[in-house]
Amino acid sequence: MTRSTTTTHLLFCLFTFALVNPFSSAFAQEKKFNFVAIGRTDTKSEIITKAANVVPTTEQYEWQKMECIAFVHFGMNTFTETQIGSGHADPNLFDPTGLDCDQWARVLKNAGMKMAILTAKHHDGFCLWPSRFTDYSVKSSRWKNGKGDVVKEFVDACRKHGLKVGLYLSPWDRNNTAYGTPAYNTYLMNQLRELLSNYGKISEVWFDGYRGPGAKPESYHWHGHYRLIRQLQPDALIAVMGPDVRWVGTESGYGRETEWDVIPLDVNGENISKEEDGDHPLDSIFIPRNYMGDDLGSRDSLYSASALFWYPAETDVSIRPGWFYDSSQDTSVKSVDQLVDIYFNSVGKNSVLLLNVPADKRGLISDYDIKALDGFHRVLKKTFSVNLSSDAIVRHGGEKGLKYAKLFGDHRFWSGPDNTDTSSLEFDLKGEKTFDVAMLQEEITVGQRIEKFHVDYWDEGGWKKLTEGTTVGYKRLLRFKPVKTSRVRLVIESSRLNPTLANFGLYMLPERYVQFSHSE
Ligand code: FUL
């Protein structure tokens, strides 16, 4: 598809949206969208202005604020101690001796997780719920005489403990004989219908992009799947092979140094559905793929785009070397130090952390994992409970200054003057404070804008550089050697349109982590 036909399609979608909206004309001018078309004649500066005004949907924003989500890999692989099952293991092997999803939810909640995503079906095709559309499921196992339903126990436990629920449904299926034929799409649709109709509110649907070597090529009917999900679970985000949440591109737990939420929307003429998608015009033109490059959203990467969209990163990583439980990995559970480091490099680099904690053969999270999660949560709680800048007086330019709470209180944020793309904010800490962590947050509900910044501290009568960074987005965390000072200055060196700041914080890591943070 050429840029002009893409643009026409996007404009058509926007027009369709306006028609169903009673405030269409006001909306067309004022409402900000999570995507925008780039016109053939747009100048570079117009493209950058458009990028700076793309915003998350309400659901994407709420999702970002969760920060930490748990993944639970559990299934046939748990019992065969494999990571990718053949799809032909005997269903009777699935037999947890003491499945307790309540324990999972308690442990995950105590670790600070806000949602948990269960592998309802992994690549081997074994279903954790008694699907009507296959016998390869818990209903053919000896567990609870084939009357059990792990998905139900999982969602009930999550809700009881105040966790949102997500479900992973592997598109690649090594058991289903229809895989690789059009009939498989019907199977996947039927499974989606079951999972999204019978288990209450589902907040994230995770479509893995992985397909093993030698697997039959598959052409999934993604747009039909998206439409069904929007119908059954209008608030759910569709992740990875879906248009709402992007896989960060590695499984290491470490995000990009420069992480833009607004990136070019990849569109492919042949695959564009001609049907309109009502409130979800993006769905019909989005082509899923894994985004693994280093530079997804720099100015240069935007100039040749046909359209831009808000596509935030999710950083998935397992607490163990494997995704599924394997007893031989009990002693390789990530340490508290590693988990804290991962938090700083995922949540602290503008993405959501999706931390996998597998359940074992009993159907429990093991003590090894619980111990690491407890330590992880304790360190974060201790670090972020006291913001050493919360009493500060904040000055912009020569202004008199405002109390921190007046500037960054509920739903308030600082916004640089119009037509400025550099700025500096000074924090008078009212006395000397010692800290080794800085936190910046942009007000992403108006867009992601900051491109480069540094933080200075006042030392012996002058400013000295403390740390620096590129993108901020929802959250940027930086560690450095502890400094003692009474004044700090944030200098925004470059921004797409006027910058905003929703929050600024200075913190001190607990004693034993100081050494660790120096190694950065
Ligand atoms: C990968 C899968 O192959 C792994 O088994 C795991 O589920 C991970 C989250 O995604 O692509």
Side-chain angles (χ1 to χ4, degrees):
M1 164 174 269
T2 63
R3 178 186 287 181
S4 63
T5 46
T6 311
T7 308
T8 312
H9 187 77
L10 271 169
L11 290 176
F12 168 75
C13 294
L14 240 97
F15 177 68
T16 312
F17 180 78
L19 283 184
V20 293
N21 186 320
F23 307 106
S24 60
S25 56
F27 243 60
Q29 283 159 20
E30 287 165 23
K31 174 143 172 61
K32 289 186 171 192
F33 292 90
N34 78 331
F35 66 93
V36 67
I38 303 296
R40 250 192 312 171
T41 55
D42 283 352
T43 62
K44 286 184 173 177
S45 110
E46 282 164 343
I47 293 172
I48 296 309
T49 302
K50 282 185 173 180
N53 281 308
V54 174
V55 296
T57 60
T58 311
E59 291 78 19
Q60 284 175 320
Y61 181 56
E62 291 305 318
W63 172 88
Q64 190 88 48
K65 285 196 293 183
M66 285 194 274
E67 296 197 358
C68 293
I69 302 178
F71 226 164
V72 183
H73 276 63
F74 183 62
M76 180 60 82
N77 296 353
T78 314
F79 298 87
T80 53
E81 299 211 341
T82 43
Q83 293 299 325
I84 296 195
S86 67
H88 301 290
D90 178 355
N92 275 319
L93 292 172
F94 183 87
D95 194 16
T97 47
L99 179 79
D100 185 359
C101 294
D102 205 77
Q103 184 245 18
W104 305 1
R106 263 191 335 265
V107 167
L108 299 175
K109 179 83 182 178
N110 287 340
M113 305 290 143
K114 301 290 187 299
M115 170 155 81
I117 301 180
L118 173 68
T119 50
K121 180 187 85 169
H122 202 251
H123 306 321
D124 64 336
F126 186 79
C127 300
L128 292 183
W129 79 104
S131 173
R132 280 203 298 123
F133 301 96
T134 177
D135 288 332
Y136 201 52
S137 82
V138 283
K139 77 180 173 202
S140 305
S141 74
R142 67 162 66 98
W143 178 63
K144 296 195 170 177
N145 293 321
K147 300 277 181 286
D149 183 344
V150 184
V151 174
K152 171 139 183 34
E153 294 193 28
F154 172 77
V155 300
D156 288 350
C158 287
R159 290 203 181 105
K160 178 172 155 204
H161 291 281
L163 290 170
K164 290 187 178 180
V165 174
L167 294 175
Y168 167 114
L169 184 68
S170 172
W172 183 38
D173 188 318
R174 304 188 80 185
N175 175 266
N176 194 280
T177 50
Y179 185 84
T181 73
Y184 181 72
N185 278 294
T186 311
Y187 179 67
L188 209 55
M189 288 287 262
N190 285 333
Q191 296 207 312
L192 274 174
R193 201 171 282 110
E194 286 184 322
L195 289 172
L196 303 182
S197 308
N198 301 334
Y199 297 96
K201 190 176 166 74
I202 304 299
S203 301
E204 186 166 337
V205 177
W206 223 87
F207 282 139
D208 199 329
Y210 184 73
R211 197 179 65 215
K216 281 193 223 158
E218 176 56 61
S219 63
Y220 303 108
H221 297 168
W222 291 117
H223 303 137
H225 301 331
Y226 301 158
R227 204 174 307 120
L228 183 67
I229 297 170
R230 305 297 186 202
Q231 253 169 35
L232 299 174
Q233 295 284 345
D235 299 335
L237 293 175
I238 313 175
V240 188
M241 290 293 107
D244 304 323
V245 169
R246 167 170 50 92
W247 177 48
V248 78
T250 71
E251 293 179 339
S252 65
Y254 288 73
R256 285 179 190 77
E257 200 54 40
T258 298
E259 186 61 83
W260 287 105
D261 292 310
V262 178
I263 65 170
L265 173 62
D266 228 12
V267 288
N268 174 338
E270 271 98 63
N271 291 326
I272 289 180
S273 147
K274 291 289 173 255
E275 297 121 293
E276 43 166 289
D277 259 299
D279 280 352
H280 290 279
L282 223 166
D283 286 1
S284 59
I285 49 171
F286 171 81
I287 303 300
R289 71 171 172 92
N290 291 322
Y291 288 75
M292 297 167 77
D294 281 341
D295 171 15
L296 299 182
S298 69
R299 289 186 183 227
D300 279 346
S301 74
L302 304 183
Y303 294 146
S304 54
S306 312
L308 309 175
F309 73 139
W310 187 275
Y311 200 30
E314 183 174 57
T315 303
D316 63 333
V317 59
S318 184
I319 195 167
R320 290 162 170 258
W323 292 95
F324 284 89
Y325 178 84
D326 179 332
S327 52
S328 70
Q329 297 181 351
D330 279 347
T331 49
S332 323
V333 170
K334 289 191 171 57
S335 65
V336 175
D337 290 17
Q338 284 174 301
L339 292 175
V340 171
D341 203 37
I342 282 173
Y343 177 85
F344 273 88
N345 282 285
S346 52
V347 175
K349 286 191 177 154
N350 191 31
S351 81
V352 165
L353 170 61
L354 175 56
L355 179 62
N356 179 59
V357 184
D360 64 16
K361 287 181 184 166
R362 297 168 301 171
L364 295 174
I365 294 174
S366 92
D367 289 345
Y368 297 97
D369 307 63
I370 295 176
K371 202 160 162 246
L373 288 171
D374 277 355
F376 166 70
H377 188 51
R378 242 178 304 118
V379 172
L380 295 185
K381 219 168 141 197
K382 185 128 198 268
T383 305
F384 294 106
S385 58
V386 182
N387 177 357
L388 296 161
S389 62
S390 62
D391 291 331
I393 299 294
V394 191
R395 288 189 189 86
H396 172 251
E399 285 167 14
K400 203 167 127 259
L402 274 176
K403 282 191 175 158
Y404 175 97
K406 279 249 169 338
L407 206 57
F408 301 123
D410 281 347
H411 305 297
R412 280 190 289 262
F413 63 95
W414 172 82
S415 170
D418 283 349
N419 304 318
T420 54
D421 52 13
T422 59
S423 240
S424 109
L425 279 182
E426 203 182 304
F427 296 79
D428 175 347
L429 302 177
K430 301 221 264 170
E432 292 205 311
K433 306 273 161 70
T434 307
F435 50 87
D436 56 10
V437 172
M439 178 193 71
L440 278 70
Q441 293 192 278
E442 273 181 85
E443 181 58 37
I444 58 169
T445 58
V446 302
Q448 186 188 0
R449 298 174 175 190
I450 298 174
E451 288 179 310
K452 192 164 168 29
F453 66 91
H454 67 264
V455 181
D456 296 331
Y457 69 106
W458 188 257
D459 185 40
E460 294 173 359
W463 290 111
K464 286 197 177 140
K465 193 189 266 192
L466 185 57
T467 184
E468 62 187 341
T470 54
T471 45
V472 175
Y474 170 73
K475 189 170 269 191
R476 180 75 182 211
L477 294 168
L478 305 117
R479 289 175 289 182
F480 36 81
K481 284 187 187 161
V483 285
K484 190 173 183 182
T485 184
S486 58
R487 286 162 73 191
V488 165
R489 179 172 76 171
L490 166 65
V491 181
I492 297 167
E493 296 174 41
S494 142
S495 170
R496 299 171 176 180
L497 290 190
N498 54 321
T500 69
L501 203 64
N503 208 350
F504 181 83
L506 299 171
Y507 306 93
M508 186 73 192
L509 280 155
E511 198 69 26
R512 61 175 284 240
Y513 288 91
V514 172
Q515 187 56 40
F516 160 67
S517 68
H518 287 181
S519 66
E520 281 220 312

